Amino acid sequence: MKNLAFASIGFCLIILSLAGCQNTFVTREETPLNKSVMSARLHGIIPLEPARPPASHAFNTPATPSRESFDGLSDLRYEQATLTEDATWRGTVLIKGAVVVAPQATLRIEPGTTVRFARIEGSIKKARLVVLGRIQCIGTAERPIRFSSDAPTPVRGDWGGILLLSTEKRNQFEHTSVEGAETGIEAHFSAFTAKSVRVTLSKTGVVLRDSIVSAESSSFSACETGIEVHDGEFELRDSSVSTNRLGMSLSRSSVVLTSTSVTDNARYGILAEECRLRISSGSISSNGAGAVVTGGEGQIFMTRFMLNKDTALQLGSARMKVNRSLFADNDRDALRIEDGRATVWGCAFRGNGGFNLYNAGREVVTAVQNWWGGDDEKSVSSKVFGGSQEPRSGTVQVFPWLSSQPPILP
């Protein structure tokens, strides 16, 4: 009987305990959140955090804004962001670190937009824009787009620049200014067009590697090197490359320069190596040396070489046709040829401080039907260096020559 009594008491305690637990569960289910959490736990599901907005809409601001980074004057600010969806920029945009346009995304920048890149003293992490997708940066003459550092007075290398990486989509820059960058616009295995673009005050204005680019009505100035092209295709029309330390450095590329002036570059206007080169209706003037072309082939047509301090045009192992061009008032030699692969005709030479034509090789150079500044044989031969002055040099064939300056030239 005693054991039966203890069993009855124990059974009652169990019933009371279960009743208390039921009351507890009811209390927790009073809110919808507790209901969803309990249901998830009962089914073995761990609830996730709420979804975050995509990077293209992120407004990344440091925990403690500072004058060095964000000054509160920008409409849109990014810090280490990736644009995974199409995005449009307008107003003033401030970038700290890098902004990457993903391969599936397009970045559109509206007229009048200013994109400023935060300057970080003493860091190799220079702010830059990297495009793997597509960029359409189209301003207007009245409302151009500007890329610059956030410094009051930008200097070379303040920010990294714009990098196009393996994007052959329809990338466009129109009525756009880029200043104060390490490399203004850089392209690797990419393609873009540029119209009315100004790149200035950068260490290198434009660098193209294995890329296809067409530019017109643009300027590249006040850089250490204005334009570099390696293993690519580049066409430049109605433009200027001026006041750089080196104007253009070209290697193993197909390059067309039409109605383009290369002027006032301190060391060289153009350095070209193993290129397919066509220069027409342009001017290569007032540089240290005008153009040095080594190897390759092409044509120089209706181009003015004037007021260069060193040799105006130097050709070495280059299969070049030089036709209907003017070589005038250069401080030293007008044209220097190191072999017999170049042919010169229909050109005009006048007022050069050195020789009009200097044959620096051992092969014969053909340079007939040119105007040498006069019709007198003695004056013509005195300004042409070849076998007659140095037996170890190749001769220069100049006869027949023109008796007057060709009318196509000024």
Side-chain angles (χ1 to χ4, degrees):
M1 292 295 291
K2 184 180 292 186
N3 291 335
L4 182 60
F6 280 121
S8 300
I9 294 171
F11 180 76
C12 293
L13 291 175
I14 291 171
I15 295 299
L16 291 173
S17 176
L18 290 174
C21 290
Q22 184 177 5
N23 290 336
T24 301
F25 286 136
V26 170
T27 302
R28 291 181 180 174
E29 290 177 354
E30 288 177 355
T31 65
L33 178 61
N34 286 337
K35 287 182 180 180
S36 62
V37 172
M38 183 58 66
S39 175
R41 287 177 177 170
L42 289 175
H43 289 84
I45 301 173
I46 299 175
L48 300 175
E49 295 181 2
R52 297 185 180 184
S56 58
H57 302 292
F59 192 76
N60 297 315
T61 307
T64 306
S66 66
R67 184 179 181 83
E68 177 186 79
S69 54
F70 304 137
D71 55 12
L73 300 177
S74 302
D75 300 310
L76 187 62
R77 299 178 290 192
Y78 290 96
E79 181 175 4
Q80 293 298 117
T82 298
L83 309 185
T84 58
E85 298 179 354
D86 293 355
T88 300
W89 289 355
R90 61 179 62 89
T92 302
V93 181
L94 181 61
I95 294 174
K96 184 176 183 181
V99 169
V100 178
V101 181
Q104 72 275 17
T106 295
L107 172 61
R108 294 179 175 86
I109 304 179
E110 295 190 349
T113 300
T114 297
V115 184
R116 300 161 57 237
F117 294 81
R119 182 179 180 181
I120 306 174
E121 294 288 352
S123 175
I124 64 172
K125 296 181 179 180
K126 294 187 176 182
R128 69 188 320 190
L129 175 62
V130 179
V131 180
L132 286 81
R134 178 171 62 171
I135 182 170
Q136 292 191 323
C137 181
I138 303 176
T140 65
E142 296 76 20
R143 301 181 64 204
I145 295 167
R146 182 181 179 224
F147 293 88
S148 184
S149 77
D150 67 343
T153 305
V155 298
R156 295 187 184 101
D158 269 353
W159 56 288
I162 303 168
L163 171 62
L164 280 70
L165 183 59
S166 190
T167 168
E168 297 182 359
K169 300 177 181 179
R170 194 183 178 193
N171 298 294
Q172 295 175 277
F173 297 90
E174 293 186 14
H175 294 286
T176 298
S177 172
V178 181
E179 60 182 10
E182 185 81 21
T183 301
I185 303 175
E186 184 175 358
H188 293 250
F189 295 97
S190 297
F192 69 85
T193 60
K195 182 178 180 180
S196 300
V197 170
R198 174 178 171 266
V199 182
T200 187
L201 206 66
S202 299
K203 289 189 176 179
T204 306
V206 172
V207 174
L208 309 177
R209 297 185 184 274
D210 299 280
S211 296
I212 301 174
V213 173
S214 175
E216 62 178 294
S217 305
S218 297
S219 66
F220 309 86
S221 63
C223 303
E224 291 184 8
T225 300
I227 298 172
E228 282 188 24
V229 184
H230 306 275
D231 304 290
E233 297 179 21
F234 180 55
E235 182 176 359
L236 184 63
R237 301 184 305 277
D238 301 310
S239 299
S240 66
V241 182
S242 63
T243 63
N244 305 285
R245 187 168 179 264
L246 168 59
M248 303 180 71
S249 177
L250 316 170
S251 64
R252 304 176 302 278
S253 298
S254 176
V255 178
V256 177
L257 306 177
T258 305
S259 301
T260 291
S261 64
V262 181
T263 60
D264 295 301
N265 299 286
R267 293 192 62 192
Y268 297 95
I270 299 174
L271 283 179
E273 181 178 0
E274 298 297 337
C275 290
R276 189 177 183 88
L277 184 64
R278 180 179 175 87
I279 303 174
S280 62
S281 304
S283 174
I284 301 176
S285 304
S286 302
N287 304 286
V292 178
V293 181
T294 305
E297 61 182 8
Q299 180 177 15
I300 298 174
F301 178 71
M302 290 186 66
T303 297
R304 297 171 179 82
F305 293 83
M306 301 177 65
L307 301 170
N308 296 286
K309 299 176 180 62
D310 209 324
T311 302
L313 174 61
Q314 181 172 330
L315 304 176
S317 301
R319 283 182 57 223
M320 298 295 295
K321 297 183 291 185
V322 184
N323 178 228
R324 296 172 66 181
S325 293
L326 172 66
F327 296 81
D329 303 317
N330 298 285
D331 289 353
R332 300 183 67 179
D333 299 336
L335 176 58
R336 185 182 182 97
I337 300 177
E338 296 180 3
D339 53 44
R341 302 183 71 194
T343 302
V344 184
W345 78 100
C347 297
F349 296 81
R350 70 172 189 232
N352 298 295
F355 289 97
N356 288 327
L357 193 155
Y358 190 110
N359 187 353
R362 293 180 176 272
E363 301 178 29
V364 176
V365 170
T366 300
V368 301
Q369 288 295 101
N370 296 291
W371 183 67
W372 301 99
D375 195 22
D376 177 66
E377 181 176 351
K378 184 176 180 180
S379 63
V380 170
S381 59
S382 67
K383 297 287 283 185
V384 175
F385 183 91
S388 59
Q389 290 89 350
E390 174 54 63
R392 291 174 295 181
S393 295
T395 60
V396 181
Q397 297 179 351
V398 296
F399 184 80
W401 55 73
L402 300 177
S403 59
S404 61
Q405 180 171 310
I408 58 168
L409 297 171

